[in-house]
Amino acid sequence: RDITERKQMERRLNYMSLHDPLTGLFNRAYFEQEMKRHDGGRQSLGIIICDVDGLKLVNDTLGHEKGDALLIAAARMIKGAFRGGDMVARIGGDEFGVLLPNRDREVMKKAAGRIRPAIEKYNAAMGPDSPLSVSIGLAFSEDAANTTWLYKEADNSMHREKLHRSQSARSSIVQALMKALSERAFITEG
């Protein structure tokens, strides 16, 4: 019997079970599976957590299509900042995680540092209509003995940055909203 169709369907289902349908990145289940695989290891591990600032405000005011477009753009820029062997995943609605095994702290910081210029370039190209802002947190360990602790450290680092950036991110989103409303109608602007 020819089972080609069945095998293709199995491959497709396997892909869908490990990938986020919107961004094409790995999903949270795969990210957690990889964290467990590195847990207790003796190699260095870096974890980077990125969060799209103000996504709820964008979704509520400009629509989910605009929010999805920002998520796709963020995913593309985050993925582009890392090499092929690094595991990039969408781990929440507006959150991305990156696992960097066998790296040193400086390489991890340089990789994370490539995200901001990519976002600035995107914002310059797109104009003030759809500002993208991402908060980034990182944690590093010489040995990946406790990946849960490492993840919490990266997440806490990201939340600290988010607190420092929240007002300016919210302000730029409100400015974009005001511009969009003023273009639709004079009455709506008021």
Side-chain angles (χ1 to χ4, degrees), residues 150-179:
L150 201 58
Y151 177 85
K152 286 179 184 176
E153 284 296 307
D155 194 51
N156 288 340
S157 173
M158 181 273 300
H159 282 291
R160 279 191 298 275
E161 180 172 315
K162 194 172 202 58
L163 282 173
H164 291 296
R165 299 172 50 85
S166 65
Q167 190 60 40
S168 63
R170 196 173 303 122
S171 174
S172 62
I173 292 167
V174 168
Q175 291 300 322
L177 175 62
M178 293 295 288
K179 185 174 188 285

Side-chain angles (χ1 to χ4, degrees), residues 22-125:
L22 180 66
T23 63
L25 296 177
F26 288 110
N27 61 19
R28 183 175 191 96
Y30 186 74
F31 185 81
E32 288 176 352
Q33 180 182 324
E34 286 296 294
M35 277 183 49
K36 285 179 186 169
R37 192 171 67 82
H38 290 289
D39 201 36
R42 293 191 175 146
Q43 62 187 11
S44 65
L45 181 68
I47 295 181
I48 299 174
I49 303 295
C50 302
D51 189 271
V52 178
D53 299 325
L55 184 66
K56 182 178 177 357
L57 181 59
V58 170
N59 283 338
D60 291 348
T61 56
L62 302 175
H64 287 276
E65 297 82 23
K66 193 67 128 174
D68 287 351
L70 282 179
L71 283 171
I72 292 167
R76 190 177 61 245
M77 284 174 266
I78 292 167
K79 176 83 173 155
F82 300 95
R83 65 179 190 175
D86 301 329
M87 206 279 292
V88 181
R90 181 175 174 206
I91 57 175
D94 59 354
E95 220 170 65
F96 299 88
V98 184
L99 292 178
L100 298 118
N102 295 322
R103 299 291 189 83
D104 65 38
R105 187 181 309 267
E106 290 308 309
V107 170
M108 182 184 74
K109 285 181 181 179
K110 285 180 186 174
R114 289 191 292 265
I115 297 171
R116 292 237 187 273
I119 289 171
E120 289 170 10
K121 187 177 177 183
Y122 169 84
N123 284 337

